[in-house]
Amino acid sequence: MADHPCLRCGACCAAFRVAFHWSEAQPHKAEGVPAALATPLRLHELAMRGTDDALKPVRCVALEGSVGAGTSCRIYASRPAPCRELGAAWETGEPSPQCDRARAVHGLPPLTPADWAA
Ligand code: SF4
Ligand code: SF4
């Protein structure tokens, strides 16, 4: 799809803490999350920088662009598991409460099956 709804959204990259196992990051995984973009979280976990500061609005350091207008992930090929696992609502015919919640945080309506019509 040329106009993928996620490319004009990005809300889930600016709504939740993005935590993942340290083995998904460099230097352990050569093609993993760049070490400079991750911050220690718990014993075996890291978080994407920008998603783990309770005093600031959540925004992953790897997110580029404006939420709700046009966004991209500058480490898309290396993004950690939570980013790969969060499905956009109705992309595969299933709802996605996380997608809906993230969009609501930014005042965006939930996606519908019509958003995926060719
Ligand atoms: S909140 Fe949903 S539509 Fe928006 S970028 Fe994330 S998965 Fe895509
Ligand atoms: S790593 Fe990329 S996909 Fe994951 S939260 Fe950050 S900007 Fe979004």
Side-chain angles (χ1 to χ4, degrees):
M1 171 177 287
D3 188 23
H4 194 288
C6 292
L7 296 178
R8 30 188 170 82
C9 180
C12 56
C13 308
F16 307 122
R17 184 168 66 192
V18 180
F20 55 94
H21 194 262
W22 57 263
S23 62
E24 288 197 75
Q26 299 174 11
H28 181 82
K29 185 178 178 182
E31 71 283 14
V33 175
L37 303 189
T39 187
L41 180 61
R42 291 181 282 259
L43 184 59
H44 298 296
E45 282 184 307
L46 305 176
M48 290 303 299
R49 285 194 185 277
T51 72
D52 191 44
D53 187 338
L55 300 178
K56 292 183 185 167
V58 172
R59 183 180 166 110
C60 177
V61 68
L63 181 66
E64 295 187 325
S66 300
V67 173
T71 54
S72 61
C73 170
R74 67 184 167 100
I75 60 160
Y76 189 76
S78 304
R79 69 200 191 287
C83 311
R84 298 172 187 276
E85 291 164 4
L86 199 160
W90 305 109
E91 182 173 15
T92 59
E94 302 286 334
S96 172
Q98 270 190 304
C99 175
D100 292 352
R101 271 205 307 281
R103 288 177 61 86
V105 165
H106 292 276
L108 299 169
L111 295 180
T112 70
D115 287 297
W116 301 99

PDB file of all heavy atoms in Angstrom, residues 5-6 9-12 86-89 98-99 102-103 111, ligand 1:
ATOM      1  N   PRO A   5      -1.275   3.720   6.520  1.00  0.00           N
ATOM      2  CA  PRO A   5      -1.748   4.587   7.608  1.00  0.00           C
ATOM      3  C   PRO A   5      -0.691   4.885   8.668  1.00  0.00           C
ATOM      4  O   PRO A   5      -0.693   5.977   9.251  1.00  0.00           O
ATOM      5  CB  PRO A   5      -2.919   3.798   8.192  1.00  0.00           C
ATOM      6  CG  PRO A   5      -3.429   2.992   7.055  1.00  0.00           C
ATOM      7  CD  PRO A   5      -2.199   2.600   6.259  1.00  0.00           C
ATOM      8  N   CYS A   6       0.220   3.968   8.926  1.00  0.00           N
ATOM      9  CA  CYS A   6       1.242   4.214   9.948  1.00  0.00           C
ATOM     10  C   CYS A   6       2.164   5.375   9.552  1.00  0.00           C
ATOM     11  O   CYS A   6       2.706   6.060  10.426  1.00  0.00           O
ATOM     12  CB  CYS A   6       2.073   2.957  10.196  1.00  0.00           C
ATOM     13  SG  CYS A   6       1.150   1.620  10.989  1.00  0.00           S
ATOM     14  N   CYS A   9       0.921   8.516  10.921  1.00  0.00           N
ATOM     15  CA  CYS A   9       0.500   8.389  12.325  1.00  0.00           C
ATOM     16  C   CYS A   9       1.725   8.499  13.248  1.00  0.00           C
ATOM     17  O   CYS A   9       2.122   9.586  13.615  1.00  0.00           O
ATOM     18  CB  CYS A   9      -0.244   7.073  12.512  1.00  0.00           C
ATOM     19  SG  CYS A   9      -0.792   6.834  14.208  1.00  0.00           S
ATOM     20  N   GLY A  10       2.310   7.364  13.613  1.00  0.00           N
ATOM     21  CA  GLY A  10       3.459   7.387  14.521  1.00  0.00           C
ATOM     22  C   GLY A  10       3.075   7.496  15.985  1.00  0.00           C
ATOM     23  O   GLY A  10       3.935   7.611  16.865  1.00  0.00           O
ATOM     24  N   ALA A  11       1.783   7.418  16.279  1.00  0.00           N
ATOM     25  CA  ALA A  11       1.322   7.620  17.657  1.00  0.00           C
ATOM     26  C   ALA A  11       1.890   6.601  18.639  1.00  0.00           C
ATOM     27  O   ALA A  11       2.201   6.948  19.779  1.00  0.00           O
ATOM     28  CB  ALA A  11      -0.209   7.590  17.696  1.00  0.00           C
ATOM     29  N   CYS A  12       2.031   5.347  18.208  1.00  0.00           N
ATOM     30  CA  CYS A  12       2.502   4.326  19.154  1.00  0.00           C
ATOM     31  C   CYS A  12       3.975   4.526  19.514  1.00  0.00           C
ATOM     32  O   CYS A  12       4.457   3.957  20.486  1.00  0.00           O
ATOM     33  CB  CYS A  12       2.237   2.922  18.627  1.00  0.00           C
ATOM     34  SG  CYS A  12       2.952   2.599  17.009  1.00  0.00           S
ATOM     35  N   LEU A  86       3.556  -4.698  17.702  1.00  0.00           N
ATOM     36  CA  LEU A  86       2.350  -3.872  17.806  1.00  0.00           C
ATOM     37  C   LEU A  86       1.725  -3.712  16.410  1.00  0.00           C
ATOM     38  O   LEU A  86       2.252  -3.025  15.541  1.00  0.00           O
ATOM     39  CB  LEU A  86       2.683  -2.495  18.385  1.00  0.00           C
ATOM     40  CG  LEU A  86       1.494  -1.713  18.959  1.00  0.00           C
ATOM     41  CD1 LEU A  86       1.987  -0.634  19.910  1.00  0.00           C
ATOM     42  CD2 LEU A  86       0.631  -1.075  17.883  1.00  0.00           C
ATOM     43  N   GLY A  87       0.611  -4.375  16.218  1.00  0.00           N
ATOM     44  CA  GLY A  87      -0.030  -4.341  14.916  1.00  0.00           C
ATOM     45  C   GLY A  87      -0.964  -3.151  14.775  1.00  0.00           C
ATOM     46  O   GLY A  87      -1.599  -2.715  15.740  1.00  0.00           O
ATOM     47  N   ALA A  88      -1.030  -2.621  13.579  1.00  0.00           N
ATOM     48  CA  ALA A  88      -1.987  -1.555  13.304  1.00  0.00           C
ATOM     49  C   ALA A  88      -3.387  -2.157  13.225  1.00  0.00           C
ATOM     50  O   ALA A  88      -3.574  -3.245  12.666  1.00  0.00           O
ATOM     51  CB  ALA A  88      -1.632  -0.868  11.993  1.00  0.00           C
ATOM     52  N   ALA A  89      -4.348  -1.460  13.788  1.00  0.00           N
ATOM     53  CA  ALA A  89      -5.719  -1.974  13.824  1.00  0.00           C
ATOM     54  C   ALA A  89      -6.237  -2.258  12.416  1.00  0.00           C
ATOM     55  O   ALA A  89      -6.110  -1.411  11.523  1.00  0.00           O
ATOM     56  CB  ALA A  89      -6.621  -0.966  14.534  1.00  0.00           C
ATOM     57  N   GLN A  98      -4.043  -1.555  21.441  1.00  0.00           N
ATOM     58  CA  GLN A  98      -2.862  -0.700  21.670  1.00  0.00           C
ATOM     59  C   GLN A  98      -2.784   0.405  20.618  1.00  0.00           C
ATOM     60  O   GLN A  98      -2.459   1.556  20.932  1.00  0.00           O
ATOM     61  CB  GLN A  98      -1.584  -1.529  21.614  1.00  0.00           C
ATOM     62  CG  GLN A  98      -1.163  -2.111  22.959  1.00  0.00           C
ATOM     63  CD  GLN A  98       0.216  -2.708  22.863  1.00  0.00           C
ATOM     64  OE1 GLN A  98       0.466  -3.564  22.035  1.00  0.00           O
ATOM     65  NE2 GLN A  98       1.121  -2.267  23.714  1.00  0.00           N
ATOM     66  N   CYS A  99      -3.047   0.037  19.388  1.00  0.00           N
ATOM     67  CA  CYS A  99      -3.054   1.039  18.307  1.00  0.00           C
ATOM     68  C   CYS A  99      -4.129   2.080  18.598  1.00  0.00           C
ATOM     69  O   CYS A  99      -3.858   3.291  18.516  1.00  0.00           O
ATOM     70  CB  CYS A  99      -3.304   0.331  16.980  1.00  0.00           C
ATOM     71  SG  CYS A  99      -3.497   1.418  15.552  1.00  0.00           S
ATOM     72  N   ALA A 102      -3.013   4.363  21.499  1.00  0.00           N
ATOM     73  CA  ALA A 102      -1.948   5.299  21.119  1.00  0.00           C
ATOM     74  C   ALA A 102      -2.521   6.438  20.291  1.00  0.00           C
ATOM     75  O   ALA A 102      -2.185   7.613  20.496  1.00  0.00           O
ATOM     76  CB  ALA A 102      -0.869   4.565  20.324  1.00  0.00           C
ATOM     77  N   ARG A 103      -3.386   6.105  19.353  1.00  0.00           N
ATOM     78  CA  ARG A 103      -3.969   7.155  18.511  1.00  0.00           C
ATOM     79  C   ARG A 103      -4.820   8.103  19.355  1.00  0.00           C
ATOM     80  O   ARG A 103      -4.822   9.321  19.138  1.00  0.00           O
ATOM     81  CB  ARG A 103      -4.762   6.519  17.374  1.00  0.00           C
ATOM     82  CG  ARG A 103      -3.837   5.875  16.326  1.00  0.00           C
ATOM     83  CD  ARG A 103      -4.616   5.177  15.225  1.00  0.00           C
ATOM     84  NE  ARG A 103      -5.476   6.066  14.474  1.00  0.00           N
ATOM     85  CZ  ARG A 103      -5.092   6.798  13.420  1.00  0.00           C
ATOM     86  NH1 ARG A 103      -3.849   6.737  12.984  1.00  0.00           N
ATOM     87  NH2 ARG A 103      -5.953   7.586  12.798  1.00  0.00           N
ATOM     88  N   LEU A 111      -8.282   3.511  13.685  1.00  0.00           N
ATOM     89  CA  LEU A 111      -8.366   3.052  12.295  1.00  0.00           C
ATOM     90  C   LEU A 111      -9.589   2.156  12.138  1.00  0.00           C
ATOM     91  O   LEU A 111     -10.056   1.546  13.111  1.00  0.00           O
ATOM     92  CB  LEU A 111      -7.112   2.259  11.918  1.00  0.00           C
ATOM     93  CG  LEU A 111      -5.783   3.022  11.897  1.00  0.00           C
ATOM     94  CD1 LEU A 111      -4.653   2.069  11.501  1.00  0.00           C
ATOM     95  CD2 LEU A 111      -5.835   4.221  10.971  1.00  0.00           C
TER      96      LEU A 111
HETATM   97  S1  SF4 B   1      -0.640   3.778  16.459  1.00  0.00           S
HETATM   98 FE1  SF4 B   1      -1.396   2.247  14.988  1.00  0.00          FE
HETATM   99  S2  SF4 B   1      -1.660   3.372  13.027  1.00  0.00           S
HETATM  100 FE2  SF4 B   1      -0.356   4.603  14.387  1.00  0.00          FE
HETATM  101  S3  SF4 B   1       1.746   4.059  13.787  1.00  0.00           S
HETATM  102 FE3  SF4 B   1       1.146   2.778  15.546  1.00  0.00          FE
HETATM  103  S4  SF4 B   1       0.350   0.894  14.636  1.00  0.00           S
HETATM  104 FE4  SF4 B   1       0.385   2.454  13.006  1.00  0.00          FE
END
